[in-house]
Amino acid sequence: MAALTRVVARQRAELDRLQDLAATAAVLERAKGAVMAQLGCSPDAAQEELQQRAKTRERTLLEECWISLGALSVQPHGTAEPTRAQPPAVVRTTQGPASDEIDASALGRLSRALVRVGTPHGLARCLLDRLTADVGADAVMIFARRPGGGLELTGHAGIDRTLAEQWSRVPPVGGIAALEALTAGQARWLENPVEDGERYRLIGDPPERWPSRAWLPVTTGESADVVLGILRHREGAFPPPVREHLLAVARLCAGALHMFGIRPDPAGEAADAVQTVLDRLPVAAVLLAPLRSASGDVEDFRIDAATGVTSDAAGRSGRELVGLRFLECWPEVADDPLWEGCLQVLADERPYESEPFARQQTVSGVSELATCSARVRALGDGLVVSWVGHDPSDRQQQRLADVQRLGNLGWVTWNLDTGEGNWSSQVFSIFERDAAQGVVPLSGLPRLASPEDLPTLARAVGELVRHGRPCDVPFRITTRAGVRHLRVVAEAVPDAHGTPVEVHGFVQDLTAQRSAELALVASERAMLTQHGVLEAERLVAARLQDALLHLPQEPVRLAGLRVDIAYLPAQSGLSVGGDWFSAIELPDGDALFVVGDVAGHGMGAVASMALLRFTAKGMVITGSTLTGALSRLNALLLHSRDPHGSATMVLARYSPRERRLEWAQAGHPPPLLVRAGEARYLERPYGILLGATDAPRYEAAEVRLEPGDQILLYTDGLVERPSESIDRGLERLARAAAPRTGTAPASLDRLLGATLQPEGRDDVCVLDIRVPADAER
């Protein structure tokens, strides 16, 4: 694979080299043709002329070719290009890049890079890449002259999309530095933002974003028709060497622009003509030109013309919209059927008309909500989009249709004298009835309901017809989509004698609401049932735990030690935890202390806790070592009812004859020793938690206790809090256990009060083991 990668890399480099050679050869041949047309000489003589010019002016052959191409249209026949002043090998500047110098070979490097450029945008990016290091350029803009005298942004780099769209077209007005440079055919150097801002309209928001700018006319025809903008974040003037360098860059760019062309689309002239026509139309309409991505997909449309009454969401109207993007002016269109309609017309040229919709418009200076329809027609390669307003009656009908659609309801009327009825289209949709079948008579309405609801609906309709009593009745129907929950609300209109002659009302589909209500009821019932199960399990587990872990009310005396025991269940949740302890005196007079914590909660945790508690005591009583007992308990847990269960544990055996405490642990926090007013944690011997592996390793450690010592064995609920690491909890416990100078060691109750958080804690189990002082014996 590595060898293949190297081969591919070499082939790719060779391909790039060949492409560069081919592109360079194309530039050379074009330049030779230009010289041949100027001098009327042979190809060999033209190449010799180019080489002689390059040697005389200290240029590379490629650099001379670009300059010759740029001067093609302005060189009189038989005359040579004016001799350029020979630049020094290194041009030093006072405000250049970090190196404060411009290498004279920079133009040569730029000329080689230009052979790969094929578009104005590519030229802008190429210039920015090179001029950033040479002159500190931060943005490049390329404007081309439009037929009407304005400018069009054809290439840019270093500016954002919003700014590019704002300056995509510049009208032929005064106060534009780029336009003035193009008209005068001379560069404009803007080096003082305050003074320049008074004379020109500066590009950028804020304009101080680029304190220094240069606008350089580029001659690509018989006159300058392209202007190159160099914008810098740097303040200060362009020194003479930098100016000379930029002017030389502009001469090089003229040749590149000749190669791929940069003049604006001739369609701009047609757009100007259309704008003249649209200025006189009293409707809202715009002429759009599609803007496509590299893949050919339409990304947006450019507004080439707009009528005077057309306005966008920002309040711009008429000619102010020209040059802007369609989605910039009306961003809501992106999620509207109108966008798909525009793409459809662009594809097959069939006209499109949207459904009526609400639109904010300004009439006589007052903003109001109007109902409109959008129409799209093809015009050449572009589109004409117009908006047609509806009269108030149409608007009212549209509002009524919107209410029925959004509320999923429809209106109904029945004439009780003739038996005729009338339904809105939404009612036929609710009942899934073909409109050609006509309206169901009022007397036949109950027969549409399910058998369970038919009597109730029939009684309500009878009361409505006979006595004119309003009705509001829910009922169900069966359709192809299943059962629907409906509601009918109706009232009777009486004649002069009070006899009902007509019924008005509406039918509403409440299926979605009713389904949500039924789902909520079912969810509440399931939650109550689950809560009851959990509560029952907690009660059983708590009683079993109480039976297994008898908590003494007074301190226990074991092997000459005083042992206080605390067990505090969790304050939240319905599950019982698996924390447990054991403190017994062994037959040989030693004392065994065990504290453990089974993972999980509920009956499973209690069962595992009972299994480990009684097995551990039995193993040690029958002569097993502490590490041996842990190894066997690990195997027992792996082969228990829950093979994925785990537990932590600390075993300690105290011998009163030597006052020696031997202990081992399985993934459990270390004991805390308090001696002579200082608290420290015992260094843990190796031991992995129970149930983690079938090949565990456990080691034991021992410590000699002295009169007055205090040892704390505990579960992690004493030191863990959800919002902090366990190290902080261990530090807090050590501070609380260390007595102040001249005071007795902290009692167990005080320790618990200083370390436990008020609420939301886990189960806590603590063994407070104290060696009596000599005076207490």
Side-chain angles (χ1 to χ4, degrees), residues 101-366:
E101 59 184 31
I102 299 176
D103 192 341
S105 63
L107 290 177
R109 292 194 299 270
L110 177 59
S111 65
R112 291 191 296 273
L114 289 179
V115 301
R116 287 296 190 96
V117 174
T119 64
H121 279 299
L123 176 60
R125 288 192 293 269
C126 178
L127 291 176
L128 183 60
D129 290 342
R130 271 70 188 175
L131 296 181
T132 297
D134 295 341
V135 300
D138 296 293
V140 174
M141 302 179 73
I142 302 175
F143 281 101
R145 190 193 303 273
R146 298 189 64 210
L151 298 178
E152 181 174 353
L153 183 64
T154 56
H156 61 83
I159 65 173
D160 55 52
R161 179 179 178 182
T162 301
L163 186 61
E165 291 176 350
Q166 291 173 348
W167 287 84
S168 60
R169 286 196 175 183
V170 179
V173 296
I176 305 297
L179 189 59
E180 183 178 301
L182 199 59
T183 303
Q186 296 180 350
R188 291 292 182 265
W189 309 96
L190 280 62
E191 300 163 330
N192 189 321
V194 177
E195 296 179 359
D196 296 333
E198 297 176 355
R199 181 177 180 183
Y200 301 112
R201 182 179 179 184
L202 300 180
I203 294 175
D205 185 16
E208 296 80 10
R209 178 180 177 186
W210 292 292
S212 57
R213 315 150 187 250
W215 293 102
L216 312 169
V218 180
T219 302
T220 59
E222 296 181 356
S223 61
D225 52 9
V226 176
V227 62
L228 177 64
I230 308 298
L231 292 76
R232 306 191 307 177
H233 294 322
R234 174 176 311 169
E235 298 180 355
F238 291 87
V242 175
R243 291 191 179 192
E244 180 184 350
H245 182 76
L246 291 178
L247 292 173
V249 168
R251 288 195 294 271
L252 280 181
C253 291
L257 294 172
H258 260 303
M259 292 286 286
F260 53 77
I262 198 169
R263 295 190 64 83
D265 188 355
E269 298 180 6
D272 291 338
V274 173
Q275 179 62 61
T276 304
V277 175
L278 293 187
D279 284 339
R280 292 162 175 79
L281 295 181
V283 298
V286 292
L287 173 64
L288 303 179
L291 301 176
R292 300 181 183 273
S293 64
S295 61
D297 298 331
V298 176
E299 293 181 326
D300 204 344
F301 293 90
R302 183 184 65 238
I303 302 175
D304 285 345
T307 60
V309 297
T310 305
S311 61
D312 68 351
R316 295 167 293 198
S317 62
R319 288 179 177 262
E320 295 177 335
L321 301 173
V322 176
L324 302 179
R325 300 297 185 259
F326 189 42
L327 295 181
E328 174 190 350
C329 299
W330 295 280
E332 69 277 3
V333 171
D335 300 321
D336 225 36
L338 176 58
W339 178 260
E340 296 298 329
C342 291
L343 299 181
Q344 169 199 315
V345 176
L346 202 62
D348 55 25
E349 297 188 354
R350 289 185 300 172
Y352 167 80
E353 183 169 352
S354 72
E355 294 292 331
F357 61 91
R359 178 171 179 262
Q360 201 77 23
Q361 67 178 16
T362 303
V363 179
S364 301
V366 179

Side-chain angles (χ1 to χ4, degrees), residues 42 77 226 401 408 535 561 601:
S42 66
H77 179 72
V226 176
N408 203 5
E535 186 64 39
L561 301 176
H601 295 80

Side-chain angles (χ1 to χ4, degrees), residues 353-420:
E353 183 169 352
S354 72
E355 294 292 331
F357 61 91
R359 178 171 179 262
Q360 201 77 23
Q361 67 178 16
T362 303
V363 179
S364 301
V366 179
S367 180
E368 64 177 21
L369 194 65
T371 302
C372 304
S373 293
R375 298 175 180 175
V376 185
R377 301 289 188 274
L379 180 62
D381 294 333
L383 302 175
V384 175
V385 178
S386 60
W387 290 271
V388 180
H390 294 237
D391 59 33
S393 61
D394 294 337
R395 192 183 312 166
Q396 191 66 25
Q397 289 292 333
Q398 180 61 36
R399 289 173 179 172
L400 180 58
D402 290 341
V403 169
Q404 294 185 78
R405 176 178 53 83
L406 296 174
N408 203 5
L409 56 84
W411 53 265
V412 292
T413 61
W414 285 280
N415 189 308
L416 300 182
D417 289 338
T418 62
E420 296 178 350

Side-chain angles (χ1 to χ4, degrees), residues 88-100:
V90 174
V91 180
R92 297 193 175 274
T93 68
T94 57
Q95 296 186 17
S99 61
D100 288 334

